[in-house]
Amino acid sequence: MMESVGVYGFCGCKAKNKMKCDSRWEIAASETAPTSAYSSPARSLGDTGITPLSPSHIVNDTDSNVSEQQSFLVVVAVDFGTTSSGYAYSFTKEPECIHVMRRWEGGDPGVSNQKTPTTILLTPERKFHSFGYAARDFYHDLDPNEAKQWLYLEKFKMKLHTTGDLTMDTDLTAANGKKVKALEIFAYALQYFKEQALKELSDQAGSEFENSDVRWVITVPAIWKQPAKQFMRQAAYQAGLASPENSEQLIIALEPEAASIYCRKLRLHQMIELSGKAAVNGYSGSDTVGAGFTQAKEHIRRNRQSRTFLVENVIGEIWSELEEGDKYVVVDSGGGTVDLTVHQIRLPEGHLKELYKATGGPYGSLGVDYEFEKLLYKIFGEDFIEQFKIKRPAAWVDLMIAFESRKRAAAPDRTNPLNITLPFSFIDYYKKFRGHSVEHALRKSNVDFVKWSSQGMLRMSPDAMNALFKPTIDSIIEHLRDLFQKPEVSTVKFLFLVGGFAEAPLLQQAVQAAFGDQCRIIIPQDVGLTILKGAVLFGLDPAVIKVRRSPLTYGVGVLNRYVEGKHPPEKLLVKDGTRWCTDVFDKFISADQSVALGELVKRSYTPAKPSQLVIVINIYSSEHDNVSFITDPGVKKCGTLRLDLTGTSGTAVPARREIQTLMQFGDTEIKATAIDIATSKSVKVGIDFLNY
């Protein structure tokens, strides 16, 4: 068990005797005792400000990263998606050329395979076997009884979003019902991409390409909380992409930000405009959404052989219409989540400023799959479907693949039915399970819009298919409506629709119908690769997003001087004759507060005992801005700040040691550094959102 530790801290006032100041911190922590502290809460200095302990902001020189970036020969971005994944890369000496990975083996008719399904297969001994199409095809070809022993996982990324108490020990459930550690699966997947990318780079270079030459970028949804981002980083460390000692080799990119960075570069022939305000790329507003997108797909198909995309080192043509301060929304609609971000352009460099904290929810295309599953429950019974998944896992995967290709054929103007092939084992197993045929089940179910075809297929009317999309699309539109009500989002000039689900004509039509009169709606061509290409650009220039918004309010628990009438009586603590108010929330940063890249929050701590080697401080968070106490509703402990003082003191330990901590909230991850003021030595510091 960790020894109980303590710390005193200084506030930002200018009292000559710090110990006589009205606000001070004393932080004590152990495995059993809660943290407490003494301090004065920070006050915001206007729009982008946080009160540091020194009289003025500390802003890092963003050019300081330039030399560090140049040590990498190539940037490789991995778009780790819920339904499909892929990688792309660019050599730092040729930043205008983005190379998308080699063609994948396998694929489905009518489905683009420039990315591969996020599916993974482990042997019965739980060793990595294959990923993507290879995993799916091998699993499909296994004998049904043998398949039950193999661990097949798909669409597992959503677990990181939906798990409220994510830890390094969180489990995933394979298709056969067996549990496996999520960290192992994510690490296996990232290791696979690492090996594929390094092999391709080595083949191109004609010699062995070292991992140390690569800066890695991994994309995550902007609405993911800190634990999920940290989990992805830990998985990348386990996969050997980077290490805690060389953490800068790996950057976490936010998916809608990556899309936004790429959209800045768009030229007219690289996009389709849905709105009728102007003709772009030869499409006028009178063209149907479906027809415009079909033409674009044909254009993409003709250019599919080329995997290299040229990105001109200028602002794209679309920005020629933008003026300083113009705003736009990026709607990243993927397999698992929909992520919304609002950016403002800063000319002439084209830097971006986030105007409203990232919002969204679990409204990805998986929602359509869940509706199909509910339809199957209604027709065949939930008990049968759940049993079929466990007993015939490979056949269930086949059925969902068949549905996926039909799902992609759904369109607003479609009139002919969509046929979904039922695997033979489904028909056979249903007869054994129920004692009557699939055809009988359909007749008895009273589901009029799904019929049985003698060729062994479910025939769905277009209206039936469209109904499966409706709940998910309605959620997206409702979320966008809420966003457009915010003052910061008024007068938006463009709405960029990106991500795999953006290919769905039904979603395009719904967005156009709801918002076409408020802004211009743009879809980049090859929309499924937008995030991937933007992530490469972000890896080449991580400082392009200059200002972000904090998604949550963060702070620590402190003690302040007790003020009669202001503080609740139950918070009164008398210590050495002094009256203190306990559990005061000392705010580092507020929810939705602007914070510039490189802007730092400074705090100073002093160990209660000079010999103390570890300081552990609890961090609290809330979605609300007006937090007074760490016991307020909605405030929860979300992590720890750990200061390791071993090796920082000189030969003579001073009576009082001041440890200055600098926290950065303006990046895609929360970061911290610390120094021992007396010795000017760096203090090992860690912020942990997973293992607190």
Side-chain angles (χ1 to χ4, degrees), residues 75-88 115 118 157-158 160 186 190 193 215-224 228-233 235-236 241 250-262 332 334 337 339 499 528-539 668-669:
V75 168
V76 179
V78 178
D79 179 5
F80 198 126
T82 303
T83 50
S84 61
S85 299
Y87 68 86
K115 291 206 286 186
T118 308
K157 180 184 169 188
M158 276 300 283
L160 299 197
F186 280 84
L190 290 170
F193 279 113
R215 162 163 267 175
W216 293 95
V217 182
I218 299 175
T219 66
V220 303
I223 55 172
W224 268 16
K229 293 177 187 175
Q230 185 180 333
F231 185 95
M232 196 62 103
R233 182 170 278 279
L241 273 69
L250 169 68
I251 299 176
I252 299 292
L254 308 182
E255 287 161 2
E257 281 192 359
S260 176
I261 291 163
Y262 179 69
D332 170 24
T337 55
D339 244 357
L529 297 177
T530 302
I531 291 159
L532 193 48
K533 291 184 274 192
V536 174
L537 294 173
F538 181 65
T668 57
E669 298 170 276

Side-chain angles (χ1 to χ4, degrees), residues 85-105:
S85 299
Y87 68 86
Y89 58 92
S90 178
F91 294 98
T92 50
K93 287 185 178 175
E94 294 181 308
E96 68 283 353
C97 291
I98 297 174
H99 309 271
V100 176
M101 66 211 167
R102 293 169 175 161
R103 290 278 301 262
W104 298 94
E105 295 304 316

Side-chain angles (χ1 to χ4, degrees), residues 68-74 92 212-215 248-249:
E68 182 181 54
Q69 280 170 246
Q70 287 171 341
S71 64
F72 299 108
L73 298 179
V74 66
T92 50
S212 56
D213 294 329
V214 180
R215 162 163 267 175
E248 294 302 315
Q249 189 177 359

Side-chain angles (χ1 to χ4, degrees), residues 294-312:
T294 304
Q295 285 176 270
K297 277 186 172 172
E298 191 52 45
H299 175 81
I300 292 159
R301 205 169 286 118
R302 285 197 301 271
N303 291 285
R304 182 67 31 95
Q305 297 311 311
S306 169
R307 295 181 302 108
T308 300
F309 295 83
L310 288 176
V311 180
E312 297 185 36

